[in-house]
Amino acid sequence: MAAQETLATSGEVNPASGGVRKRLLIDGELVSLDKTFPSLNPATGEVYGHAPDAGVAEAKAAVEAARRAFDTTDWSTNVEFRIKCLDQLHQAMLDNLEDLRELTMAEVGATRLLTHGNQLEAPIGIIKYYADLLRTYPLSEDLGEVELSGKLHRRWVEKEAAGVVSAIAAYNYPTQLALAKLAPSLAAGCTVILKGAPDTPLLTLALGELIAEHTDIPAGVVNVLSSTEIAVGEVMTTHPDVDVVSFTGSTPVGKKIMAAAADTLKRVFLELGGKSALLVLDDADFKTTAQFAAFSICSHAGQGCALTTRLLVPRDKHDEIVAMVSAMMEHVPYGDPTNPKMYMGPLISERQRDKVDGMVQRAVEAGATLVTGGERVSPGYFYKPTLLANVDPSSEIAQDEVFGPVLAVIPYDGDDDAVRIANDSQFGLSGGVLSADEDRAIAIGRRIRTGTFSINGGNYFTPDVPFGGYKQSGLGREMSASGLEEFLEQKAFAAPVVAAS
């Protein structure tokens, strides 16, 4: 492929040694290690490339570099320079867009269609959003004067960088997740240690290479690691020089990170799991419902924390809606991610496919009806779009995150019952409602305890909208001004008003 030929001339592809190879970024230097681990192409199951397998020494060096850069440079206070560097990074990603697209399809298994959206092109816009926001965001607030003890005092609040950030991303949308942490933290003036997921390390490392080679970001401000060692994550979440931990991943791991960070009282941002419900009201257009539900759950093979994986339908319309959704799901094109006609790609690994299939089989054993799908497809880690009907709302498949193209249809009796079922979850990340009456739909949405909510297919996922969840879906918000504020501290000032002489 042309993109691989381009990479080869830049020294990033080495077919004799296992394909694409990337380097760590530590203290401004691109670093190769003798110890590496493979990154697989999930569409074939074959090794696509290798990433350096960083250990504790590299993790500590990255933290120390970030601390030094924060404490000894003007990065945290030079707003204009930060804007310039963000603009450079934005342009570097645009200039290398097609190489990044090929890498995304090969390593993540994302379809070409998705790379034109939330897998690649849309996330690049996050950088521009924060560069532009920083141009206008008020970093100080005047609180006016107050008389205390017979004297006038003027008060104001300044917002300043929170410090050193450990940013740990999940595998499903590696570019989006990395930039949703990196861009606002850099805009805030923080320094960063960024670690990609072991399943998709190359894309995150590619970001580090672009920073090192195409921006003026000072040494140590951004450090990028890849590793399979649990100890590396422990350094990033417990090191006393780290001030903020930003993590996207599973709820069980998020709980461990929160506990690990407690000893040094680090600020913690967690974007965790979801089990979002799509409520179909009795006045909805069922044909539109079927198309929306079927294609939504198959987006990136269901590997999205905010996807609506529970379809709540009126009990007397259950069979009718199930038949329509099934017909749609059977026509979802899946296969080679590089083929522009494919809508759905593979799951990320054999391990993940085993998990998904196990949950489907247990759901059937527990009484759910397998309507379509429930089959592995090889080569690669494909799983057929799967529809389960007559699902018990308290069952495993209705309560636990699957992270696969599996939709559970749950019947309800009236609007209040639908709201009860939707809220009967440890999670509260997202959701949606479909209805011919928008006011009725909005009223339902206001009763659902989630951080984001879609009315009749409305799309909230843009850089200027806060993203995050209630309950065990996490803490804090990414993107928007709220995402910037996750990396800012507030300092209150007061000074006596001196009368003019």
Side-chain angles (χ1 to χ4, degrees):
M1 292 180 290
Q4 281 206 344
E5 290 168 4
T6 301
L7 289 170
T9 60
S10 67
E12 294 177 350
V13 167
N14 185 350
S17 58
V20 176
R21 286 179 177 262
K22 298 290 181 183
R23 294 162 289 178
L24 310 174
L25 176 59
I26 301 177
D27 202 12
E29 298 292 329
L30 292 171
V31 179
S32 298
L33 299 178
D34 291 335
K35 184 182 179 186
T36 65
F37 64 95
S39 176
L40 305 184
N41 181 332
T44 65
E46 298 175 352
V47 174
Y48 176 70
H50 286 82
D53 200 357
V56 168
E58 288 78 25
K60 287 183 176 180
V63 172
E64 291 163 5
R67 182 81 263 166
R68 186 165 53 250
F70 186 82
D71 292 341
T72 65
T73 74
D74 70 346
W75 177 258
S76 66
T77 57
N78 194 334
V79 174
E80 291 304 316
F81 182 55
R82 298 204 303 269
I83 292 172
K84 173 187 174 182
C85 290
L86 286 168
D87 285 341
Q88 289 174 335
L89 178 57
H90 179 250
Q91 189 60 50
M93 295 201 72
L94 291 177
D95 291 344
N96 290 272
L97 181 62
E98 294 311 314
D99 287 350
L100 292 169
R101 192 187 314 281
E102 295 296 324
L103 181 54
T104 302
M105 290 186 291
E107 185 178 47
V108 186
T111 58
R112 188 176 295 276
L113 176 68
L114 273 181
T115 67
H116 288 281
N118 289 339
Q119 275 290 358
L120 181 60
E121 293 190 20
I124 292 174
I126 296 173
I127 309 172
K128 185 177 188 304
Y129 169 79
Y130 280 107
D132 290 345
L133 179 64
L134 191 54
R135 289 178 166 94
T136 60
Y137 185 84
L139 291 171
S140 64
E141 179 185 3
D142 185 5
L143 299 181
E145 297 177 355
V146 66
E147 183 177 346
L148 295 169
S149 302
K151 293 183 179 180
L152 277 178
H153 302 264
R154 62 186 180 93
R155 295 90 34 75
W156 72 98
V157 173
E158 294 184 2
K159 296 177 182 179
E160 58 187 35
V164 175
V165 176
S166 281
I168 304 171
Y171 67 78
N172 54 331
Y173 285 82
T175 299
Q176 194 278 330
L177 297 174
L179 292 178
K181 300 177 187 305
L182 185 64
S185 57
L186 293 180
C190 296
T191 58
V192 184
I193 309 99
L194 172 65
K195 188 177 85 70
D199 285 312
T200 54
L202 300 177
L203 264 172
T204 310
L205 295 174
L207 180 59
E209 292 187 349
L210 290 178
I211 288 170
E213 295 172 345
H214 299 283
T215 77
D216 294 326
I217 294 175
V221 168
V222 178
N223 306 270
V224 183
L225 302 177
S226 57
S227 179
T228 61
E229 293 191 21
I230 294 175
V232 167
E234 292 174 348
V235 170
M236 293 179 66
T237 54
T238 63
H239 198 294
D241 283 342
V242 172
D243 302 294
V244 182
V245 179
S246 178
F247 170 77
T248 298
S250 72
T251 295
V253 175
K255 291 177 180 179
K256 291 179 181 178
I257 286 175
M258 189 173 181
D263 190 52
T264 48
L265 289 179
K266 302 183 191 307
R267 181 184 294 188
V268 177
F269 167 85
L270 301 172
E271 200 276 280
L272 306 176
K275 195 66 187 178
S276 303
L278 176 62
L279 286 69
V280 182
L281 302 190
D282 53 17
D283 61 352
D285 180 335
F286 295 157
K287 183 177 180 180
T288 300
T289 293
Q291 183 174 8
F292 183 82
F295 279 82
S296 175
I297 194 61
C298 294
S299 176
H300 195 31
Q303 297 169 113
C305 54
L307 294 178
T308 46
T309 58
R310 293 182 293 159
L311 184 65
L312 277 54
V313 303
R315 190 175 300 277
D316 62 350
K317 303 294 184 182
H318 174 276
D319 292 353
E320 177 185 352
I321 295 173
V322 165
M324 297 173 76
V325 175
S326 176
M328 286 288 181
M329 291 184 84
E330 290 173 358
H331 287 90
V332 172
Y334 64 89
D336 178 5
T338 65
N339 183 340
K341 295 181 179 180
M342 294 299 105
Y343 180 80
M344 189 182 90
L347 294 170
I348 192 63
S349 65
E350 186 66 33
R351 178 186 68 256
Q352 181 61 22
R353 186 166 66 172
D354 286 345
K355 176 199 170 187
V356 171
D357 189 57
M359 292 186 73
V360 170
Q361 302 311 319
R362 290 194 298 276
V364 174
E365 292 170 2
T369 303
L370 178 60
V371 181
T372 188
E375 298 178 36
R376 305 167 189 252
V377 180
S378 297
Y381 309 130
F382 294 91
Y383 198 76
K384 280 190 175 183
T386 299
L387 183 64
L388 295 166
N390 295 300
V391 172
D392 183 336
S394 64
S395 64
E396 177 195 38
I397 201 71
Q399 291 291 324
D400 294 350
E401 192 169 44
V402 180
F403 238 53
V406 179
L407 183 64
V409 184
I410 302 171
Y412 68 82
D413 300 296
D415 288 3
D416 289 346
D417 192 39
V419 170
R420 178 190 64 79
I421 293 171
N423 285 331
D424 181 21
S425 173
Q426 65 177 321
F427 302 112
L429 186 55
S430 191
V433 62
L434 300 174
S435 171
D437 183 339
E438 184 175 283
D439 290 340
R440 180 186 178 195
I442 292 173
I444 289 288
R446 287 177 174 146
R447 298 173 65 188
I448 308 299
R449 289 184 48 77
T450 62
T452 54
F453 202 81
S454 171
I455 304 296
N456 288 327
N459 187 353
Y460 52 78
F461 203 70
T462 53
D464 59 336
V465 175
F467 181 80
Y470 291 15
K471 299 187 279 187
Q472 294 190 38
S473 283
L475 301 170
R477 293 295 182 268
E478 273 187 335
M479 300 198 291
S480 78
S482 298
L484 177 67
E485 289 158 1
E486 293 288 342
F487 302 103
L488 292 171
E489 290 282 10
Q490 296 188 59
K491 181 181 289 183
F493 286 88
V497 177
V498 179
S501 57

